[in-house]
Amino acid sequence: MKPTLYLILLVLFASCKSPDARRPESVKSGSFIKESAERNKKLNDKEQQLIEEIIAENSENNYIASNTGFWYHYNTKVEKDTITADFGDLVNFDYNLKDLKGRTIYASEELGNQDYVMDKEELFTGLREGLKLMKPGETVTFMFPSQKAFGYYGDKKRIGTNIPLISQVTVNAIKKD
């Protein structure tokens, strides 16, 4: 009986040990993230240079650089009305999408008239930020680098990976929330 008692005590003491933390099988150095950041910087510089060349060729238009990383010029500017869209406002607008060579990707007739509740619905970043700058009755042409457009994923239809876009947008009405 004594050997059984010793065996039970041995099992009890051995099972009370807390589990050791598992160690990772391989250690990542973070080089993938650094390399990805470098690729994105180079891509952004290349797109910015291409957009600046287009702006230089179209010197009749007065392009403005936004604080958030895209360029735009007014086709139709409204001076008297000071209403712009804020969070939750309903914006009615029309727009088209073209590549930087001017080839139409989506025509405004195809996209149709849009109603967008500001910052409560999904819309690509550049267009959402651009709509905040506009007043009812204005038409603006935007040039978006790919990270302000559809980025790495595209729209999974006609817009591919890392495609900068040109978009002509007309705000028809803004209904305050």
Side-chain angles (χ1 to χ4, degrees), residues 24 29 35 37 39-40 51 62 68 70 79 85 100 102-103 109 112 124 132-133 152 155-156 161 166:
S29 66
E35 291 169 6
R39 271 193 312 271
N40 288 337
I51 288 172
N62 183 25
T68 56
F70 59 86
E79 299 291 342
L100 290 185
R103 294 180 295 226
E109 298 80 22
F124 71 89
K132 292 178 183 178
L133 301 171
Y152 179 76
D155 73 342
K156 298 189 171 114
T161 298
I166 297 173

Side-chain angles (χ1 to χ4, degrees), residues 1 33 49 59 74 76 94 104-105 161 166 171:
M1 192 155 196
I33 293 172
Q49 181 181 5
S59 58
Y74 288 92
T76 307
D94 298 297
T104 300
I105 300 171
T161 298
I166 297 173
V171 171

Side-chain angles (χ1 to χ4, degrees), residues 50-51 54 57-58 63 96-107 141-143 163-168:
L50 190 57
I51 288 172
I54 293 169
E57 290 172 7
N58 296 313
Y63 280 89
N96 65 12
L97 293 173
K98 298 179 180 182
D99 64 16
L100 290 185
K101 294 183 179 177
R103 294 180 295 226
T104 300
I105 300 171
Y106 291 105
T141 299
F142 294 98
M143 284 199 278
I163 302 295
L165 298 173
I166 297 173
S167 180
Q168 185 170 320

